[in-house]
Every structure is written in C-alpha cells, then in structure tokens.
Amino acid sequence: MPDFEIELGIPGLVAGIDEAGRGPWAGPVVAAAVILDRARLPAGIDDSKKLTAKKRDALYDAIMDTAMVGIGEASVAEIDRLNILQATFLAMKRALAALPVRPDHALVDGNRLPPLDIRASAIVRGDARSLSIAAASIIAKTWRDRLMTKLAEKHPDYGWERNAGYGTAAHARALALVGISDFHRKSFAPIRKLMTQDSDPTD
C-alpha cells in the first residue's frame, strides 16, 4: 500500500501527479495533481488499477472533499500533433496549473519528468508508493472514465462506457464496421492502419 513517507521527507506543500489514458485508441489523456491534507487523509487510497470502480468512485468523492485538486487534459488533436508522451506532459502541466495553490514540490509517477516550473521528482511505481500520487491516479482515472462514458452517449457503437477507449476486441470490431470517429487517435497504429486501408485505391 502507498504511504506518506516520501511526502514527509519534503518540506512545504507536495503535489502528487499522475495520468490516465496513455494507451487507449480514443479520447483525451487526463492528468491530476493532488495536494492531500495530512490531517484528513481518506482511508483506502491505493493505486487506482487495484481498486474496483465502486471503491474508486467513493475515494474520488473523498479526495475531492478533503484535498486540493487540479485536473488537466490534452485533446486527441494535441495527442496526434505532439505524440502521446508530450501530450501527457502537457496534461500534467495543466493539472498543476489548475491547483488552487502553487505547491513547493511535485511527485510525478514514472521515470520521466514533464517540464514543470517547480521542483519535482519522478517516482517509479509512484502510485504504489506515494499516497499523493495514488490519489492523483484515482482522480485522473475516474474523471477520464466518466468523460468517456459521456462521449459514448454520442458515439454508442464503440462501447467506450465499458472499455474507456482501450483497444478491446469489441472496439476493434466496431471500428471495422462503422469506421473511426473524431475522438479516435489517428496517430496510433491501429487507427492509422484503418485509415490507410480506407484510402487504398486498390481496394
């Protein structure tokens, strides 16, 4: 389980930053920055991937009620223009900027740091080690899952309310049947391949 050990070793306000949605074929990438209140830490915070959707939803509300939270997105167009890594960094910068206060230090999940204007540390497996990063992972994933569910109402063929835009077999079948949408990442290989096939004059 993640704990507060890393944060306690850093003076000042510490924000945890994590993202959701680097791998899907559709939808934006979302990042969250969270500054936890050390006196009001919600019980049960863990890596979002280890939690049920019901538990994530409950913790999302608890974190929103007790912590300072910033959320940032990078659009599909930005992903296609910049590449997914740089778009993820952009979403992280936006999440940090969306916090109501400026933290003194950021803990970022992973082994690479976005270009931030504050001191920062990259924490490998951070969502399993740092409560702040784990909280950010819960916020980012829940926010993005809810966003994809809303997009699924306008584009019901792809099952985004179930797969969140990831490349499931059902998603692939729907793409083959109805083609791509404006929310598909055209720079991603499976989508690019479909576009190439659709434009092949020998077909």
Side-chain angles (χ1 to χ4, degrees), residues 161-178:
E161 73 282 5
R162 297 184 300 276
N163 61 47
Y166 281 88
T168 63
H171 193 173
R173 285 194 297 271
L175 280 166
L177 287 171
V178 302

Side-chain angles (χ1 to χ4, degrees), residues 142-189:
T142 305
W143 180 279
R144 189 178 186 280
D145 284 353
R146 292 177 180 180
L147 176 61
M148 293 307 294
T149 296
K150 288 181 180 178
L151 288 178
E153 295 173 3
K154 296 182 179 180
H155 300 273
D157 297 301
Y158 307 104
W160 291 338
E161 73 282 5
R162 297 184 300 276
N163 61 47
Y166 281 88
T168 63
H171 193 173
R173 285 194 297 271
L175 280 166
L177 287 171
V178 302
I180 67 173
S181 73
D182 290 341
F183 292 98
H184 280 98
R185 301 174 180 180
K186 299 172 183 63
S187 57
F188 275 39

Side-chain angles (χ1 to χ4, degrees), residues 73-197:
E73 299 179 12
S75 68
V76 169
E78 288 170 327
I79 292 169
D80 287 340
R81 187 175 78 248
L82 298 172
N83 74 45
I84 185 59
L85 177 63
Q86 295 304 317
T88 299
F89 286 171
L90 179 60
M92 288 179 170
K93 288 177 66 177
R94 288 171 173 166
L96 188 66
L99 282 168
V101 300
R102 179 185 171 91
D104 300 291
H105 198 108
L107 301 176
V108 181
D109 186 48
N111 60 4
R112 299 182 67 174
L113 285 173
L116 303 175
D117 59 357
I118 63 170
R119 293 176 60 198
S121 304
I123 309 295
V124 176
R125 296 183 62 250
D127 45 12
R129 298 171 58 194
S130 158
L131 276 176
S132 300
I133 295 176
S137 79
I138 291 167
I139 297 297
K141 178 166 176 54
T142 305
W143 180 279
R144 189 178 186 280
D145 284 353
R146 292 177 180 180
L147 176 61
M148 293 307 294
T149 296
K150 288 181 180 178
L151 288 178
E153 295 173 3
K154 296 182 179 180
H155 300 273
D157 297 301
Y158 307 104
W160 291 338
E161 73 282 5
R162 297 184 300 276
N163 61 47
Y166 281 88
T168 63
H171 193 173
R173 285 194 297 271
L175 280 166
L177 287 171
V178 302
I180 67 173
S181 73
D182 290 341
F183 292 98
H184 280 98
R185 301 174 180 180
K186 299 172 183 63
S187 57
F188 275 39
I191 309 303
R192 191 169 63 244
K193 183 178 178 182
L194 270 176
M195 294 172 64
T196 302
Q197 290 173 347

